[in-house]
Amino acid sequence: VVDALVERGVGHLFGVPGHGAYPIYGALNHEPRLKPIVGRNEQGIGFVADGWSWATNKVSVATCVPQAGLTNSATPILQATLDGERVLYVLEEEPGHRDVLRSTAKYYARVNRPEEIRTKLHSIIDQLEDGRPAGAAIEFPTSVLVNAAPNSGPKPGRVGPRMPTDAQLEEAAALLSKAANPVIVAGRPVVAGDGEQALLELAEKLRAPVHCHYNAKGAFPDNHRLALGFTWSATSAGEKLLEDADVVLAIGPREGVATGRRSPEQLASQLIHLDWDDDEQQGQPARLAIAGHVGLCLRRLADLVKPRTTDAVSDGHLAELRDHPWRYADTRIPWATGFFRSLGSELPRDIMLFCDSMVGIWAFRMLEATMGRSFRFGWGNGSGTLGYATPGAIGAKMAEPAREAVIITGDGAMLYNPQELATMMMYGTKLTVIVCNDNSFGAVRDNLGENFGGAIAHGLANPDFMALADAFGMRAVKCEDPNSIGKTLLRALDQSSSTLIEVPLELRPYRG
Ligand SMILES: Cc1ncc(C[n+]2csc(CCOP(=O)(O)OP(=O)(O)O)c2C)c(N)n1
């Protein structure tokens, strides 16, 4: 198993060791090229693996002990599947796992004999690299893990990425070239498929505005004149543009802003949908559905389309749409706009900003990202889990040590995976953590309060965050004035060690 992983260039094995995983960890004694990265809880280390994959676009490999180790890993596997990260679990087989994996992992393989080890491991990694990025698992019966494997099987031939037919790509390019007012909706596959440059060229040739959604903030630079910014919601200010568009090219999930409130008839005449495969396209209307390697398809489309000579939407209107979240914030959270302005003014361009809680929702709408792998928000996508930001940032920082990793989180989400601050310490990973503290599950308070008859079950008794930081060897800073967060952040970025900044800040859900 270890030989096959090293053969694929895998350099880290994320996990918590124990029974069932001992044979794999034992083999690491003889293979210094595969290093164990040990976490403190399977959910935490699974998110570390996810963050590493997010930062590198490569397959992360994790392991866990059977049963409780796997159920603790279920959320990271689901998160990887729904958010489109490449995370592969290698683990000892146990019959009860099958149901957990069926509902969380997209790819699954069981190795029955030693002669299948190499072949099946290569195949599942091929699927993750060439197909839809997702959570995956490969199981080995104990006998396969502990007995000699004199022959672990041949290396399979690489099938290569799936591509649509030339005719489909030409039809899509012709529709886009002829469109009077096309709009592009860019999802995560643009980034996971290394398609950002092709998307930029495509949008510029078509002079088509671009919305980013689902984990794709920055896939199209927020400061570009054609940018519509980031949104999840079909009811946002940009929805009218999508309703009026004669062609919408949607890349990634066929939901949210990609389909909005448009009727099936309109989608059937308007939508060109591009995704890794047609698994998410069943039974939904589209004028044209294209399945294949998203980055390669975008490259072909960018080359094939004919440049348009006029703008469908004026620069002024696009700038107004980009500014909408700020105008909305002025009415919804006027006390907090200074915080976001101050934060935005000091964020380095190549920041890795890991968000959680309501602060993440606002940061995604309001702050500017100019590159694809710079903003990450676990709660805002896929499984909707809290507690991704801290471990996710650890993994990303391990992968990209030269870039700064900053976490912004609510107090509630901060305590979902604080144990991984020990992983941060152990591997000398520098983080800057900003905890926006309102001593409350704020989203619960406001959603129950605004929509369900009253705020209940939201108040929290928090630890002393300064003492918590101290316990994990971090600098502890209180930033009493949210409007000065930028300066406080700059001082933290100047340090070589990790800092936790606590700032009093209460937010409200974004409903604009
Ligand atoms: C795993 C998981 N459990 C529960 C929730 C429900 N939930 C959504 S937001 C929230 C409160 C988060 O509080 P905090 O992190 O302090 O952020 P705030 O809402 O105050 O911005 C809860 C409990 C969730 N999204 N994920």
Side-chain angles (χ1 to χ4, degrees):
V1 171
V2 168
D3 282 348
L5 292 175
V6 168
E7 195 171 38
R8 285 307 287 250
V10 177
H12 304 94
L13 181 67
F14 299 92
V16 179
H19 66 281
Y22 286 140
I24 294 176
Y25 279 98
L28 300 187
N29 282 307
H30 314 291
E31 185 41 272
R33 284 173 292 177
L34 186 54
K35 294 187 181 52
I37 304 289
V38 177
R40 306 305 287 262
N41 176 293
E42 287 82 3
Q43 180 179 111
I45 196 68
F47 289 156
V48 174
D50 187 294
W52 191 91
S53 173
W54 172 85
T56 57
N57 263 1
K58 293 190 177 139
V59 177
S60 272
V61 179
T63 190
C64 60
V65 305
Q67 296 182 307
L70 181 68
T71 50
N72 281 350
S73 304
T75 304
I77 300 174
L78 181 68
Q79 175 80 353
T81 296
L82 297 181
D83 262 16
E85 305 302 340
R86 301 170 171 98
V87 183
L88 170 64
Y89 277 73
V90 293
L91 74 157
E92 188 188 60
E93 197 236 0
E94 153 70 41
H97 290 172
R98 217 59 58 78
D99 285 344
V100 177
L101 291 171
R102 198 172 291 127
S103 54
T104 54
K106 175 163 176 66
Y107 304 106
Y108 174 81
R110 180 185 192 273
V111 172
N112 301 302
R113 298 188 307 279
E115 311 84 75
E116 294 176 354
I117 293 173
R118 192 173 180 223
T119 313
K120 288 197 171 171
L121 255 171
H122 275 275
S123 294
I124 203 162
I125 294 176
D126 285 350
Q127 282 179 297
L128 284 168
E129 286 183 356
D130 292 337
R132 179 186 292 280
I138 182 163
E139 288 200 289
F140 304 86
T142 319
S143 60
V144 171
L145 286 180
V146 301
N147 290 330
N151 171 9
S152 63
K155 191 170 158 183
R158 184 100 180 223
V159 180
R162 172 182 173 175
M163 285 298 282
T165 62
D166 284 349
Q168 283 176 311
L169 287 165
E170 281 157 14
E171 188 184 347
L175 285 171
L176 287 164
S177 304
K178 277 189 297 197
N181 48 356
V183 179
I184 299 174
V185 179
R188 168 70 183 158
V190 174
V191 186
D194 280 324
E196 288 123 297
Q197 181 58 33
L199 173 67
L200 188 70
E201 288 172 36
L202 179 67
E204 286 180 345
K205 273 174 98 174
L206 294 173
R207 300 166 84 141
V210 183
H211 257 308
C212 289
H213 82 146
Y214 286 128
N215 210 358
K217 186 168 171 66
F220 190 78
D222 280 332
N223 59 355
H224 193 283
R225 82 173 184 90
L226 290 168
L228 286 165
F230 176 89
T231 186
W232 289 270
S233 148
T235 56
S236 70
E239 172 66 0
K240 177 88 172 65
L241 268 193
L242 287 147
E243 279 172 8
D244 292 345
D246 54 348
V247 176
V248 172
L249 170 64
I251 308 153
R254 201 190 294 185
E255 58 186 69
V257 71
T259 50
R261 290 169 301 188
R262 281 154 277 151
S263 67
E265 294 73 32
Q266 189 179 5
L267 293 172
S269 70
Q270 176 197 57
L271 190 67
I272 302 175
H273 186 221
L274 168 61
D275 209 342
W276 295 101
D277 51 39
D278 37 27
D279 291 6
E280 315 280 316
Q281 302 175 348
Q282 307 297 338
Q284 294 182 64
R287 173 147 188 188
L288 185 60
I290 308 175
H293 188 289
V294 170
L296 298 177
C297 290
L298 279 173
R299 168 50 44 220
R300 290 289 312 280
L301 287 176
D303 292 341
L304 285 169
V305 292
K306 306 234 173 344
R308 278 164 35 93
T309 49
T310 51
D311 286 331
V313 189
S314 72
D315 281 355
H317 186 41
L318 291 175
E320 193 188 314
L321 289 172
R322 271 196 300 278
D323 194 47
H324 173 80
W326 285 95
R327 291 198 306 277
Y328 176 63
D330 277 339
T331 61
R332 181 70 162 154
I333 48 161
W335 63 89
T337 51
F339 170 84
F340 289 104
R341 205 159 270 123
S342 172
L343 190 63
S345 67
E346 303 302 350
L347 279 181
R349 181 184 175 272
D350 67 344
I351 191 74
M352 297 189 291
L353 185 71
F354 278 71
C355 303
D356 215 324
S357 316
M358 289 196 284
V359 68
I361 294 185
W362 289 97
F364 257 59
R365 302 271 194 175
M366 292 160 78
L367 302 185
E368 230 172 60
T370 52
M371 53 190 272
R373 273 165 277 164
S374 57
F375 278 50
R376 178 79 169 102
F377 191 19
W379 182 48
N381 304 287
S383 74
T385 185
L386 292 169
Y388 173 88
T390 301
I394 294 171
K397 180 70 181 170
M398 283 176 173
E400 293 265 1
R403 292 167 68 189
E404 291 287 347
V406 174
I407 294 153
I408 43 175
T409 174
D411 47 311
M414 182 61 219
L415 286 201
Y416 259 74
N417 279 310
Q419 77 286 345
E420 299 309 328
L421 292 175
T423 310
M424 169 201 79
M425 265 200 321
M426 186 154 93
Y427 294 99
T429 317
K430 183 204 163 183
L431 301 180
T432 304
V433 183
I434 301 172
V435 181
C436 301
N437 190 2
D438 62 354
N439 292 307
S440 172
F441 282 147
V444 172
R445 174 196 61 223
D446 296 332
N447 285 318
L448 285 172
E450 291 174 8
N451 298 325
F452 290 91
I456 190 174
H458 64 86
L460 299 177
N462 275 322
D464 175 344
F465 282 107
M466 297 294 96
L468 181 87
D470 194 48
F472 286 103
M474 305 174 79
R475 291 170 64 246
V477 177
K478 254 205 175 124
C479 173
E480 297 291 357
D481 174 12
N483 297 323
S484 68
I485 189 66
K487 283 202 184 64
T488 313
L489 173 66
L490 269 191
R491 278 195 292 276
L493 296 181
D494 269 351
Q495 310 290 321
S496 57
S497 56
S498 297
T499 303
L500 186 148
I501 302 165
E502 182 185 356
V503 53
L505 190 67
E506 187 176 306
L507 294 167
R508 297 275 173 267
Y510 191 108
R511 306 200 203 282

